[in-house]
């Protein structure tokens, strides 16, 4: 091993190249998997959200919204930063192709962050059927730009945030940027739904086992296009790095022999990267179909849950309404009899004492101040309507997810 120390340089160079290609391939397939997940998930109404992975759309609402730092806009989440621009000239030494030491100058520039911050609160997503609580902690948030300005020292905004001094090599320009989720803004949300702890309702929150938790101010179509663009962009980057990576490794390790670079290593890395992506693609498609199959079973189980709810709830509500109706009918009859007795008398004889009947009436009124079956009928109607709407939403979700599953199974390449 001591006679040929450069072997470790080659191992390290190609090891780094291979690791980069693996990460790029993983990122490309991950973007594609998320895109397919968005495509395969039907949009649910907030009133029809059940336990599991769901996709909902609506507006961001809150009774106590935040006020953003820069734009002073009401919102449910925001992040802001103040950056200062700098530019400097750097002189460096290098070795040319003839092995001679030379110097050159280059200009560097960038932005240094002076201040930044972010805040978020739980909020509600509202659509035409109701509201659903969203807990944005640990979510992947795609916010909207609420404030963006670049100013010089003459602008009053320049010193409103950040220290009054300057960073090294400052050009005396500052950039103020704030992004967030404004109140009433339309949102697209995908995440894991669970049961709330305080009331019998659902909420969407972070789950370690959920494949995606996304809160976006963009539409579903734009989200899908972005994920598809990420997949193809990383795939092209991986192919270019596969072709040019071996040349770069060869150039670093043997700079004077780069002109004699063989083409074989580039072809091998392209083939290995392609095989790697295809294997990951096959695993992704297989797991995707398994996930769809399980979600079809879950959607069918949700229908059974709602049907059982109707079977258990509606008869109980009807028994309560029937009991209240019969009780109120008997009470009204008793009241009518008491009123008749209080006013009736036999000719020539003294009538009953009205005060005794009045005491009985007052006792009944005090014990039952509000006795009416009309509200019970309204509650029964609301319960039946709500139950039937839940069943309809569960069936619609089942039909949608089954359609996605069957379509995936019958199209290429998933069919294979």
């Amino acid at each position: 091993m001591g006679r040929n120390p450069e072997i470790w340089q080659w191992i390290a160079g190609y090891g780094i190249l291979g690791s980069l290609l693996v990460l790029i391939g993983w990122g490309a397939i991950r973007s594609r998997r998320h895109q397919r997940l968005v495509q395969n998930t039907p949009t649910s109404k907030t009133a029809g959200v059940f336990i599991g992975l769901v996709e909902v759309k609506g507006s961001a609402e809150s009774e106590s919204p935040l006020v953003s730092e820069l734009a002073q806009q009401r919102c449910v989440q925001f992040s802001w930063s103040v950056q200062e621009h700098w530019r400097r000239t750097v002189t460096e030494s290098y070795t040319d192709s003839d092995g001679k030491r030379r110097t050159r100058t280059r200009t560097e520039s960038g932005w240094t962050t002076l201040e930044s911050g972010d805040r978020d609160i739980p909020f509600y997503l509202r659509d035409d059927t109701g509201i659903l609580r969203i807990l944005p902690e640990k979510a992947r948030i795609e916010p909207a730009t609420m404030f963006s300005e670049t100013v010089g020292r003459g602008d009053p905004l320049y010193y409103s945030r950040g220290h009054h001094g300057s960073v090294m090599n400052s050009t005396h320009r500052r950039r103020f940027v704030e992004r967030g989720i404004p109140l009433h803004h339309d949102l697209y949300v995908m995440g894991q739904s669970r049961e709330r702890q305080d009331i019998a309702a659902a909420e969407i929150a972070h789950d370690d086992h959920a494949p995606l938790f996304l809160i976006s101010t963009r539409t579903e179509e734009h989200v899908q296009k972005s994920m598809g663009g990420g997949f193809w962009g990383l795939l092209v980057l991986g192919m270019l790095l596969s072709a040019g990576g071996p040349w770069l490794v060869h150039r670093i390790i043997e700079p004077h022999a780069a002109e004699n670079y063989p083409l074989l290593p580039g072809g091998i890395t392209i083939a290995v990267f392609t095989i790697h992506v295809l294997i990951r693609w096959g695993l992704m498609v297989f797991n995707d179909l398994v996930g769809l199959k399980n979600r079809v079973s879950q959607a069918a189980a949700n229908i059974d849950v709602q049907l059982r709810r109707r079977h258990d709830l509606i008869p109980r509500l009807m028994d309560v309404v029937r009991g209240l109706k019969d009780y109120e009918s008997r009470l009204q009859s008793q009241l009518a009899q008491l009123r008749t007795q209080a006013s009736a008398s036999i000719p020539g004889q003294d009538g009953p004492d009205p005060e005794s009947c009045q005491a009985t009436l007052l006792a009944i009124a005090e014990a039952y101040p509000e006795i009416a079956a009309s509200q019970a009928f309204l509650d029964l109607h609301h319960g039946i309507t709500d139950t039937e709407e839940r069943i309809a939403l569960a069936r619609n979700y089942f039909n949608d997810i089954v359609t996605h599953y069957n379509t995936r199974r019958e199209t290429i390449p998933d069919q294979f």
Side-chain angles (χ1 to χ4, degrees):
M1 290 188 296
R3 296 179 181 178
N4 190 14
E6 289 187 353
I7 188 65
W8 299 110
Q9 298 179 7
W10 292 105
I11 292 175
Y14 277 97
I16 294 174
L17 176 62
S19 299
L20 288 175
L21 292 176
V22 168
L23 289 175
I24 291 174
W26 175 83
I29 297 302
R30 182 173 179 269
S31 296
R32 179 56 177 163
R33 178 166 58 89
H34 287 170
Q35 183 188 28
R36 287 170 60 96
L37 187 65
V38 172
Q39 293 172 346
N40 293 341
T41 305
T43 301
S44 300
K45 295 293 185 179
T46 57
V49 168
F50 306 105
I51 306 304
L53 187 67
V54 295
E55 170 188 287
V56 288
K57 301 173 183 177
S59 60
E61 307 294 339
S62 175
E63 296 179 354
S64 302
L66 300 171
V67 177
S68 65
E69 193 75 19
L70 300 180
Q72 294 294 298
Q73 185 174 351
R74 294 196 303 168
C75 57
V76 296
Q77 184 274 339
F78 69 91
S79 61
W80 60 278
S81 65
V82 180
Q83 298 176 317
E84 188 166 344
H85 188 259
W86 55 266
R87 182 185 294 112
R88 65 181 176 222
T89 301
V90 179
T91 302
E92 61 182 7
S93 300
Y94 71 100
T95 303
D96 62 11
S97 58
D98 298 327
K100 298 180 179 180
R101 298 288 295 177
R102 298 183 180 276
T103 59
R104 60 187 173 191
T105 59
R106 57 186 176 86
T107 301
E108 296 179 342
S109 63
W111 295 87
T112 298
T113 300
L114 301 178
E115 274 193 274
S116 64
D118 62 89
R119 284 192 65 188
D120 62 68
I121 57 172
F123 63 93
Y124 291 94
L125 189 79
R126 181 185 296 276
D127 64 7
D128 56 346
T129 64
I131 59 175
L132 177 68
R133 189 166 74 167
I134 309 294
L135 305 180
E137 184 179 3
K138 297 184 179 180
R140 171 181 161 189
I141 298 178
E142 295 179 348
T145 299
M146 300 190 297
F147 189 88
S148 180
E149 285 192 24
T150 302
V151 300
R153 284 192 297 181
D155 194 293
L157 183 62
Y158 187 86
Y159 288 117
S160 65
R161 291 291 176 185
H163 53 76
H164 284 243
S166 299
V167 299
M168 187 71 69
N169 303 304
S170 173
T171 61
H172 304 295
R173 286 191 300 144
R174 288 185 179 177
R175 181 168 60 189
F176 298 78
V177 178
E178 186 171 60
R179 298 180 176 89
I181 303 176
L183 198 65
H184 312 310
H185 198 287
D186 291 336
L187 295 180
Y188 169 84
V189 179
M190 171 174 279
Q192 190 75 10
S193 174
R194 68 185 186 188
E195 188 175 355
R196 291 177 57 171
Q197 300 297 323
D198 50 350
I199 60 175
E203 66 181 6
I204 298 179
H206 170 76
D207 190 306
D208 292 334
H209 303 290
L212 181 64
F213 184 20
L214 174 66
I215 302 175
S216 178
T217 56
R218 300 184 297 172
T219 63
E220 180 181 0
E221 292 74 19
H222 287 147
V223 170
Q224 288 189 31
K225 289 181 180 179
S226 175
M227 292 176 175
F231 165 72
W232 288 110
L234 289 174
L235 192 63
V236 171
L237 176 62
M239 296 299 292
L240 293 176
L241 187 59
S242 299
W247 176 86
L248 183 61
V249 172
H250 197 267
R251 176 77 175 180
I252 294 174
I253 296 177
E254 295 183 352
H256 303 297
E259 293 80 5
N260 300 323
Y261 165 70
L263 298 178
L264 182 60
I268 293 176
T269 52
I270 291 176
V272 171
F273 178 74
T274 302
I275 294 173
H276 168 73
V277 170
L278 290 177
I279 291 175
R280 281 191 172 273
W281 179 283
L283 293 174
M284 175 200 67
V285 171
F286 179 82
N287 294 333
D288 188 30
L289 292 176
V290 171
L292 270 174
K293 180 181 178 181
N294 292 335
R295 290 164 66 190
V296 168
S297 301
Q298 184 184 32
N302 288 333
I303 296 178
D304 293 337
V305 169
Q306 296 305 318
L307 291 175
R308 185 174 292 107
R309 179 178 180 271
R310 179 173 65 178
H311 180 270
D312 296 339
L313 178 63
I314 301 305
R316 293 179 182 177
L317 289 175
M318 292 184 66
D319 291 340
V320 171
V321 172
R322 189 180 295 112
L324 288 173
K325 177 177 176 295
D326 294 341
Y327 180 76
E328 185 173 355
S329 177
R330 291 194 303 269
L331 182 61
Q332 294 295 339
S333 299
Q334 291 178 355
L335 290 174
Q337 293 176 3
L338 290 172
R339 292 191 186 99
T340 302
Q341 293 176 7
S343 59
S345 63
I346 299 175
Q349 297 182 3
D350 295 334
D353 185 7
E355 294 183 0
S356 62
C357 296
Q358 185 178 4
T360 305
L361 292 173
L362 290 175
I364 295 175
E366 291 175 357
Y368 306 96
E370 294 182 4
I371 300 176
S374 58
Q375 184 60 42
F377 278 108
L378 292 176
D379 293 340
L380 174 61
H381 179 267
H382 175 74
I384 294 175
T385 303
D386 180 67
T387 300
E388 294 301 326
E389 288 179 354
R390 286 172 177 264
I391 294 174
L393 291 172
R395 285 173 173 166
N396 289 337
Y397 182 83
F398 174 79
N399 292 334
D400 290 340
I401 199 68
V402 168
T403 301
H404 283 292
Y405 179 52
N406 292 335
T407 302
R408 286 295 187 191
R409 291 175 56 193
E410 295 173 4
T411 55
I412 297 174
D414 298 36
Q415 186 179 21
F416 301 121

